[in-house]
């Protein structure tokens, strides 16, 4: 069960909350300079983690596609995909926990939960960090803190993040001022997808400095995260009935395109699921079949991204048209498998 198959608090605006530890090992401080030692580290970790309920996904050196698919689903960082040495991911899915070995930082521990659950993600990730700390001597300097090839991650070796859906702030051109205010607190906001014209989903990320306790960092991040969601909701409240009706109308058309298209590009997939999500946020869920909810949208979106789609396909895909046709088939198949329910005719 993946994080995007379950629901969470404020899931219309917060897709997931994630707490990350980055760690390296004394004597093997930076994996990309010691690729031959990573396999030994993975073998030691496998014995420990399997004993504690994890399963392993070995990633072959030349299988960049599979690595990219896990990156699309937020289980690993992008540098894991280009790493040339041995690499592996360990999953403990009931806890929404993944531990990757390989990349610029040798060990990355991720707890990712749906919705606004950053405190729970912190607890889950912390338990895995303590488990690995019992086996490995983490690279640490008393003056610098935990070592990393990334200067901004030296020190606490932690990163707090979430994915926010902010279409109204974006449409009102107010997102820039919000991002500037957060930047003053060393919190960054950037599009989850490379093309910011699609989706209006943004990653909010904070790497606390050494000396700030993890609890304080989590509380600070949670406070700002909820404040941004409230700003988004206030912007939405200002919409008049005609605007709300247009939102519902576009969502209905988007659902039709997802349900019947013969070809579906990645940009279209992102755009259409975004329109459905906005319809739910605007209080027009009754305009859609009851079986369409945020878990369905998240599953279609993250499993329908290109690398994930190709990695999970049972057929050879050699061109963009073939990929778009297969994506449309995947989405149609997913929607057709949902309980048959009709939509109502008015917004609430």
């Amino acid at each position: 069960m993946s994080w995007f198959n379950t629901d969470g608090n404020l899931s219309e605006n917060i897709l997931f909350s994630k707490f990350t530890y980055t760690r390296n090992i004394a004597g093997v401080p930076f994996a990309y300079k010691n690729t031959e030692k990573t396999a030994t580290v993975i073998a030691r970790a496998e014995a420990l983690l399997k004993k504690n309920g994890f399963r392993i996904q070995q990633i072959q050196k030349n299988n960049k596609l599979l690595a990219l698919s896990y990156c699309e689903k937020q289980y690993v960082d992008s540098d894991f995909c280009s790493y040339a040495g041995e690499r592996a991911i360990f999953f403990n899915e009931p806890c929404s926990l993944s531990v990757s070995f390989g990349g610029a930082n040798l060990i990355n521990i991720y707890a990712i939960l749906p919705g606004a659950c950053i405190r729970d993600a912190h607890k889950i990730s912390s338990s895995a960090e303590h488990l690995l700390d019992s086996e490995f001597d983490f690279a640490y300097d008393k003056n610098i803190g935990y070592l990393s090839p990334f200067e901004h991650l030296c020190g606490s070796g932690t990163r707090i993040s979430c994915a926010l859906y902010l279409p109204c702030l974006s449409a009102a051109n107010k997102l820039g001022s919000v991002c500037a205010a957060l930047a003053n607190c060393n919190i960054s906001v950037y599009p989850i997808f490379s093309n910011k014209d699609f989706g209006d989903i943004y990653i909010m990320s904070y790497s606390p400095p050494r000396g700030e306790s993890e609890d304080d960092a989590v509380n600070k991040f949670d406070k700002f995260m909820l404040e941004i969601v409230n700003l988004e909701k206030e912007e939405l409240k200002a919409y008049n009935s005609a605007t709300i009706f247009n939102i519902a109308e576009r969502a209905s058309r988007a659902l039709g395109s997802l349900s019947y298209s013969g070809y579906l590009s990645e940009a279209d997939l992102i755009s259409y699921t975004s329109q459905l999500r906005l319809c739910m946020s605007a209080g027009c869920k009754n305009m859609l079949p009851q079986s369409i909810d945020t878990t369905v949208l998240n599953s279609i979106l993250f499993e329908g991204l290109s690398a994930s789609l190709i990695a999970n396909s049972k057929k050879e895909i050699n061109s963009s048209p073939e990929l778009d046709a297969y994506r449309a088939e995947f989405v149609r198949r997913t929607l057709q498998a949902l309980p048959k329910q009709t939509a109502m005719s008015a917004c609430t």
Side-chain angles (χ1 to χ4, degrees), residues 207-223:
S207 296
R210 188 183 181 206
E212 182 176 14
S213 74
E214 290 178 4
D215 286 338
D216 287 345
V218 166
N219 290 334
K220 171 182 176 180
F221 186 88
D222 191 55
K223 172 177 174 289

Side-chain angles (χ1 to χ4, degrees), residues 301-320:
L301 176 58
F302 287 94
E303 291 182 339
L305 296 174
S306 295
S308 296
L309 201 64
I310 298 172
N312 293 328
S313 69
K314 296 180 180 180
K315 60 175 71 174
E316 190 172 341
I317 299 175
N318 297 311
S319 67
S320 293

Side-chain angles (χ1 to χ4, degrees), residues 272-287:
Y272 292 150
T273 54
S274 178
Q275 290 173 41
L276 293 174
R277 197 182 301 273
L278 179 56
C279 181
M280 295 177 185
S281 299
C284 296
K285 191 178 187 306
N286 285 348
M287 291 289 287

